[in-house]
Amino acid sequence: MRYWLMKSEPDEVSIDDLAARRTVPWFGVRNYQARNFMRDGMRVGDRAFFYHSGCATPGIAGICEVCAPAHPDDTQFDPASPYHDPRASRENPRWLCVDVAFVEKTRFLPLSLLRAQAPLAGMAILQRGNRLSITPVSAAEWLFINDHLLRD
DNA sequence: GCCAACGTTGGC
DNA sequence: GCCAACGTTGGC
């Protein structure tokens, strides 16, 4: 199993929204590196930290699980969607998404708390200039967060 | 609202 | 294929 961190703006899809809907397609990714992580790196059963970004207090809000492999992101075909991409077609989709399932809502771990943990210094999310909405998390990072920050 | 960092676009 | 301009992300 691989581990990931996936950013979502809670105004759009929050951990509570995921809990209510049980599964959601991870629509709206418009960055090739993040898309390729979904297409090439993610497998059903992988787990991810669900991270709230673009909000007053960013941080980890829960855990989700990949429940469907990458498939075309429907929002790219929808002229009414903010994620519409006129260069994409049904025959030649450009953007993909996996589906994720709710696992749990955790204690909230603010970005500032993550930054204060020496063992997490290498986390992609903490690197200067990081903007990727999907990043791999090492097994060591995953275990440290689970063992030391989520359950005490 | 500001701004640093970064990705993408498009002229050449 | 270079690179300047531009748009976006996302923390603060």
Side-chain angles (χ1 to χ4, degrees):
Chain A
M1 189 197 304
R2 296 178 189 171
Y3 303 103
W4 307 90
L5 183 144
M6 303 174 78
K7 296 180 189 173
S8 181
E9 300 196 5
D11 284 352
E12 187 153 37
V13 181
S14 70
I15 189 69
D16 290 329
D17 295 329
L18 179 61
R21 294 165 60 181
R22 311 306 301 170
T23 75
V24 295
W26 204 259
F27 62 88
V29 170
R30 295 295 180 268
N31 170 282
Y32 290 105
Q33 203 176 343
R35 180 201 68 181
N36 293 348
F37 279 140
M38 289 195 285
R39 186 188 63 191
D40 306 327
M42 285 186 168
R43 290 179 292 197
V44 170
D46 284 0
R47 294 226 160 175
F49 292 122
F50 190 104
Y51 180 94
H52 285 178
S53 71
C55 53
T57 308
I60 291 172
I63 292 174
C64 59
E65 180 172 313
V66 177
C67 64
H71 57 85
D73 175 350
D74 280 338
T75 63
Q76 72 193 300
F77 310 124
D78 178 3
S81 168
Y83 300 113
H84 179 238
D85 185 344
R87 300 164 300 181
S89 65
R90 296 269 177 193
E91 298 71 31
N92 275 306
R94 181 176 296 231
W95 304 110
L96 305 172
C97 58
V98 297
D99 292 351
V100 302
F102 177 76
V103 174
E104 66 175 311
K105 181 177 181 177
T106 63
R107 177 146 65 102
F108 187 75
L109 303 178
L111 177 59
S112 57
L113 183 145
L114 300 175
R115 284 199 190 286
Q117 312 299 317
L120 300 181
M123 269 191 95
I125 189 78
L126 302 180
Q127 304 313 303
R128 176 184 179 82
N130 156 75
R131 292 194 319 176
L132 260 188
S133 62
I134 297 176
T135 49
V137 170
S138 74
E141 291 159 353
W142 182 270
L143 290 172
F144 179 83
I145 290 171
N146 271 271
D147 292 349
H148 294 92
L149 303 181
L150 289 180
R151 8 212 159 251
D152 45 65

